[in-house]
Amino acid sequence: MINSINHPWGISQKMKDRMGSTWADMDFEINDRLSTHNMKENLMDQSVGNLYISNIYIKMKYKDLLTINKQLKKHVNHSYNSDIEQKFPVDIKSHTLLLNKKEIQRLEETIHITISSLLKKYQLGLYL
């Protein structure tokens, strides 16, 4: 079973046409081999899953999520008053992506929800 954050398969065609394929297909897939023991031992260096954006899978560690979340908050603030079609370069690990403000907001929400989900699942003991 895929532990998906955005569930892109549930987005309607109308929404895909309106928001664009990059926005609609963006997702984070949580690693199904996470365990409470591994997270307790070394949370920051734990490989937590893959970010899927613009047909690219990017392996992410927990510390990468925290760093990217901080960067994306700055990008969201910077792009807030911009035109919807204007693209901004966003660096994620070794990849540079050109995203509009809606895609940047969606990416920031995805990363934020991923961080929250990982911590809540860990606290509830769901990684057995």
Side-chain angles (χ1 to χ4, degrees):
M1 181 176 163
I2 296 175
N3 294 315
S4 172
I5 296 297
N6 289 339
H7 308 291
W9 55 85
I11 297 174
S12 68
Q13 187 61 44
K14 181 180 175 183
M15 190 63 121
K16 285 182 182 182
D17 294 340
R18 182 174 162 212
M19 302 302 281
S21 63
T22 301
W23 183 93
D25 295 336
M26 190 181 307
D27 194 18
F28 191 91
E29 296 174 356
I30 296 175
N31 184 354
D32 59 349
R33 294 190 174 155
L34 283 176
S35 70
T36 303
H37 175 72
N38 290 344
M39 290 187 76
K40 185 185 262 188
E41 291 296 317
N42 195 3
L43 175 63
M44 296 305 274
D45 285 327
Q46 184 66 36
S47 178
V48 293
N50 297 313
L51 176 65
Y52 179 74
I53 184 169
S54 298
N55 297 321
I56 302 170
Y57 276 99
I58 305 171
K59 289 189 177 207
M60 303 293 277
K61 294 182 178 181
Y62 188 76
K63 65 182 176 183
D64 298 330
L65 291 176
L66 296 176
T67 304
I68 291 168
N69 191 42
K70 189 174 181 180
Q71 290 173 344
L72 288 173
K73 286 181 182 189
K74 291 178 185 176
H75 283 292
V76 167
N77 291 335
H78 178 70
S79 66
Y80 183 75
N81 290 326
S82 69
D83 181 45
I84 187 69
E85 297 300 321
Q86 186 176 355
K87 301 278 187 173
F88 298 91
V90 176
D91 295 323
I92 299 176
K93 293 184 98 173
S94 63
H95 304 279
T96 301
L97 306 167
L98 291 175
L99 304 174
N100 66 31
K101 72 178 185 179
K102 290 292 183 187
E103 294 163 348
I104 293 171
Q105 290 170 351
R106 172 88 164 177
L107 181 57
E108 193 274 330
E109 289 170 4
T110 300
I111 298 296
H112 181 76
I113 291 169
T114 300
I115 292 168
S116 297
S117 296
L118 288 167
L119 289 178
K120 286 177 185 173
K121 282 183 158 184
Y122 172 71
Q123 290 170 347
L124 292 171
L126 298 178
Y127 296 120
L128 301 175

